[in-house]
């Protein structure tokens, strides 16, 4: 790790507290002047570091403070975090992307839209590539709904080209488990999954997942899966829009009452999500354990839900919705519900809510 990266990560770990130049120099085995130079370079590249600076501090030492809200996405740092998580991925059933396969945008319409376009043009060569954005201007979720994507979150799309036929529901389930495990590793957050694609923390939706497939007309099968993941990390500066304010939450607000002090560490979070997701996508032997974790984290199993079948699938009520109890999740990631008359239905698609509407 370069001294500059080391200093930045030490200041990030300090979460807004001051770190002395002397301590930084000692722990990296360099002079205070070298630390000062590294800080100076970081500042010139836009890092909001306050504290001692200038020639006087080179000899006198002093503390440096990084604004704890500063956390830009950076392909090199994501790649370094991936390597730290998986130092020898060579023998693994999956291949983690290196820096050249991590594309970071400060702003984009939608990482999924972009990833699909790229995958359609470039085919298999895009396998394992990840597109990430600080914010999206036209993020979208299931059924074409808008997905609010301000700078306080993390938005990424992973391209995976399967070798044979797939069940798309496995990818959504795997991505959901990957996000839960990554949020657990980084922030100790204990998330729940609302079938099929929503992640909840303390009763609030903190993440949505949208897996889309690109089909090959000639092969008649899904040639690329684009797994899109949007995580609300912090409360947006102007709050969530009124239409989602009752349900949306931010991981760091829900994870700790003093959430604003927890550094977001978006690059490390991105690396953890990518690693878990690619691991589950690639290694079929992990599927039973993944599905077990999906069930264990279910927000709805054993509870009364309202089922909203996708348009045209059912004609039970005016909008087709009906009350039922969620009783199981099958090995195909389908939801089994029990209706009040004692019958069972297996839902491959659709949506459930916990309220009566
Ligand atoms: C949902 O809640 O219905 C799913 C939301 C999925 C949002 C993610 S953010 C990254 C990727 N880009 C998009 O436009 N959508 C997905």
């Amino acid at each position: 790790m370069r001294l500059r990266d080391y200093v930045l990560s030490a200041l990030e770990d300090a979460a807004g507290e001051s770190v002395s130049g002397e301590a930084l120099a000692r722990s990296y085995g360099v002079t205070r002047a070298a630390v000062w130079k590294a800080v100076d370079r970081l500042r010139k590249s836009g890092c909001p570091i306050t504290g001692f600076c200038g020639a006087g501090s080179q000899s006198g030492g002093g503390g440096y403070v990084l604004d704890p809200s500063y956390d830009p996405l950076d392909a090199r740092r994501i790649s370094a975090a991936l390597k730290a998580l998986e130092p020898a991925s060579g023998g693994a059933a999956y291949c983690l992307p290196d820096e050249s396969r991590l594309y970071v945008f400060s702003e984009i319409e939608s990482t999924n839209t972009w990833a699909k376009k790229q995958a359609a043009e470039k085919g298999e060569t895009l396998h394992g590539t990840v597109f990430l954005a600080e914010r999206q201007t036209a993020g979208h979720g299931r059924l074409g709904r808008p997905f609010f994507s301000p700078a306080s979150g993390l938005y990424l799309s992973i391209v995976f080209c399967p070798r044979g036929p797939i069940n798309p529901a496995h990818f959504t389930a795997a991505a959901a488990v990957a996000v839960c495990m990554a949020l657990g590793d980084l922030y100790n957050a204990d998330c729940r999954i609302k079938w099929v694609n929503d992640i909840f923390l303390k009763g609030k939706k903190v993440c949505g997942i949208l897996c889309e497939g690109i089909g090959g007309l000639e092969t008649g099968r899904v040639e690329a899966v684009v797994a899109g993941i949007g995580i609300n990390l912090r409360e947006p500066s102007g709050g969530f829009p009124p239409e989602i304010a009752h349900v949306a939450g931010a991981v760091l607000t829900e994870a700790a009452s003093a959430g604003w002090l927890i550094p977001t560490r978006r690059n490390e979070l991105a690396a953890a999500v990518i690693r878990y997701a690619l691991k589950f996508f690639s290694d079929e032997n992990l599927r039973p354990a993944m599905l077990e974790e999906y069930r264990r984290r279910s927000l709805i199993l054993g509870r009364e839900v309202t089922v909203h079948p996708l348009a045209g699938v059912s004609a039970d009520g005016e909008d087709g919705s009906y009350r039922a109890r969620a009783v199981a999740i099958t090995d195909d990631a389908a939801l089994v519900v029990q209706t009040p008359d004692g019958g069972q239905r297996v839902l491959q698609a659709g949506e459930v809510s916990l309220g009566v509407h």
Side-chain angles (χ1 to χ4, degrees), residues 110-112 136 139-142 147 156 197 205 208-209 228-230:
S110 151
T111 53
N112 260 34
Q136 300 182 114
H140 58 271
R142 291 179 80 221
F147 186 79
L156 67 148
N197 67 330
K205 175 171 168 176
I209 291 164
I229 297 167

Side-chain angles (χ1 to χ4, degrees), residues 97-353:
D98 61 16
E99 202 182 323
S100 69
R101 288 182 172 272
L102 296 163
Y103 293 87
V104 172
F105 299 87
S106 53
E107 184 176 287
I108 194 169
E109 271 184 33
S110 151
T111 53
N112 260 34
T113 306
W114 183 257
K116 279 192 294 177
K117 189 165 170 273
Q118 294 296 307
E121 277 170 22
K122 299 186 180 142
E124 285 208 334
T125 59
L126 232 65
H127 178 65
T129 301
V130 186
F131 299 93
L132 305 100
E134 305 267 3
R135 68 185 81 82
Q136 300 182 114
T137 54
H140 58 271
R142 291 179 80 221
L143 309 172
R145 292 179 192 133
F147 186 79
F148 183 57
S149 314
S152 45
L154 172 66
Y155 314 100
L156 67 148
S157 299
I158 305 171
V159 182
F160 185 88
C161 300
R163 293 227 172 93
I166 56 144
N167 170 2
H170 281 150
F171 282 83
T172 306
V177 173
V179 170
C180 290
M181 293 179 72
L183 292 176
D185 289 355
L186 262 94
Y187 312 120
N188 211 17
D190 188 16
C191 294
R192 296 280 162 255
I193 302 167
K194 184 167 83 62
W195 184 88
V196 53
N197 67 330
D198 292 335
I199 311 280
F200 277 69
L201 184 58
K202 299 197 177 149
K204 296 282 187 175
K205 175 171 168 176
V206 295
C207 169
I209 291 164
L210 175 65
C211 288
E212 300 185 271
I214 299 180
L217 280 180
E218 282 155 29
T219 57
R221 64 176 183 84
V222 174
E223 301 212 317
V225 175
V226 170
I229 297 167
I231 307 175
N232 306 329
L233 281 173
R234 290 188 191 282
E235 208 74 31
S237 49
F240 288 103
E243 59 279 16
I244 56 167
H246 60 290
V247 69
V251 173
L252 293 179
T253 316
E254 307 304 332
S257 49
W260 63 274
L261 265 183
I262 302 178
T264 47
R265 292 155 68 203
R266 280 196 293 186
N267 296 303
E268 285 168 64
L269 176 62
V273 170
I274 293 167
R275 175 171 169 259
Y276 279 127
L278 284 175
K279 203 167 158 165
F280 292 138
F281 292 172
S282 316
D283 191 346
E284 286 184 15
N285 296 324
L286 296 176
R287 187 161 301 149
M290 180 279 286
L291 284 167
E292 224 18 71
E293 188 64 8
Y294 188 78
R295 294 180 186 107
R296 191 185 75 75
R297 290 184 181 272
S298 173
L299 185 67
I300 58 167
L301 280 184
R303 296 175 72 177
E304 288 290 320
V305 294
T306 302
V307 179
H308 309 275
L310 293 179
V313 174
S314 162
D316 276 311
E318 262 177 42
D319 63 352
S321 65
Y322 58 92
R323 297 286 288 163
R325 178 179 290 272
V327 291
I329 289 166
T330 69
D331 289 349
D332 290 334
L335 178 69
V336 183
V337 294
Q338 188 158 43
T339 48
D341 61 7
Q344 287 205 340
R345 295 187 192 185
V346 181
L347 312 172
Q348 308 290 347
E351 227 172 42
V352 294
S353 59

Side-chain angles (χ1 to χ4, degrees), residues 72-108:
L73 283 172
D74 177 339
R76 204 167 47 78
R77 298 189 77 201
I78 298 170
S79 164
L82 280 167
K83 284 190 187 120
L85 289 170
E86 198 89 38
S89 69
Y94 54 98
C95 188
L96 294 174
D98 61 16
E99 202 182 323
S100 69
R101 288 182 172 272
L102 296 163
Y103 293 87
V104 172
F105 299 87
S106 53
E107 184 176 287
I108 194 169

